[in-house]
Every structure is written in structure tokens, then in C-alpha cells.
Amino acid sequence: QVQLVESGGGLVQAGGSLRLSCAASGSIFSQNAMGWYRQAPGKQRGLVALITSGGTKTYAPSEKGRVTISTDNTKNTLYLQMNTLKPEHTTLYYCPVLAHGTTGWDTTDYWGQGTQVTVSS
């Protein structure tokens, strides 16, 4: 019943910006932490940013200052504003629901189809 739809990706030149959106079914954000991850085929997924149900934000050290995660609870939409994009940021971006385990935050089985970001040189 949980549905997540990522959008907002596209082609952008290096140094440009994009805002990704993640539309979720129900009131997921009020009860769950959400994350933005990037994952290329055959590669490990990497955390870009996460936000808890209470609004606490965490960024990967390499992303802090470059990206901003936010939510609009009235629209059940999660956003990721990305600035100063580089070619190495080219990949699929996902917004999985997160669950807190004993060692930290973990991704759940709830993912969307991803949105493709392509950064040209």
C-alpha cells in the first residue's frame, strides 16, 4: 500500500541545480524517516540525506552545504534540492522509507522507481 514516486530528475550542466521530488502515499512522513539515496547499477547505494519524522536532518559529509532535504507534509512530498552538480552525481536517485535499527538508520523495502539525474561536463 505504500507508494513512492520520485521525479524531478533530468539533464543538467555541471554546476547547475535540480530539485527532486518524492510523492508518497498516505501520511508516511508523519510516522517515518525518509532518505534520499543515489545508486547506480552494480554499485552500492549511498546516502545523500535523510530526515526524521520530527524534522531532524542529516547529510552525508560530502553533501552537506550542497544539498537540502525538506518535506511538505500537506502534500506528502519529500524534496531534495541539489546545487553545484557534478558529473559524478549522474545516477538514479531514490527516496526509501527508513527504519531505525540498533546501529542506526536502515532502508526498508519501500522504494520508488527512482529518478534519473544526468550531469554533463
Side-chain angles (χ1 to χ4, degrees):
Q1 293 185 347
V2 175
Q3 295 183 359
L4 299 163
V5 181
E6 298 94 340
S7 63
L11 175 64
V12 64
Q13 292 184 337
S17 300
L18 284 173
R19 188 180 71 161
L20 308 183
S21 297
C22 173
S25 60
S27 300
I28 295 177
F29 302 146
S30 66
Q31 303 181 59
N32 298 279
M34 301 290 297
W36 278 104
Y37 286 74
R38 57 168 64 97
Q39 185 171 25
K43 301 294 184 180
Q44 289 185 302
R45 60 180 175 270
L47 173 69
V48 179
L50 67 83
I51 184 169
T52 70
S53 60
T56 300
K57 301 173 182 179
T58 300
Y59 298 96
S62 61
E63 306 293 348
K64 189 174 183 179
R66 192 185 68 82
V67 305
T68 302
I69 189 171
S70 62
T71 59
D72 184 340
N73 290 348
T74 64
K75 298 181 179 180
N76 251 49
T77 302
L78 176 72
Y79 301 100
L80 182 69
Q81 176 68 43
M82 302 191 295
N83 302 320
T84 318
L85 287 165
K86 302 175 181 179
E88 57 258 41
H89 299 137
T90 296
T91 189
L92 282 163
Y93 285 74
Y94 300 89
C95 59
V97 176
L98 305 182
H100 200 272
T102 58
T103 60
W105 292 103
D106 298 311
T107 57
T108 67
D109 292 334
Y110 298 109
W111 300 69
Q113 83 288 351
T115 185
Q116 177 69 43
V117 171
T118 302
V119 184
S120 62
S121 301

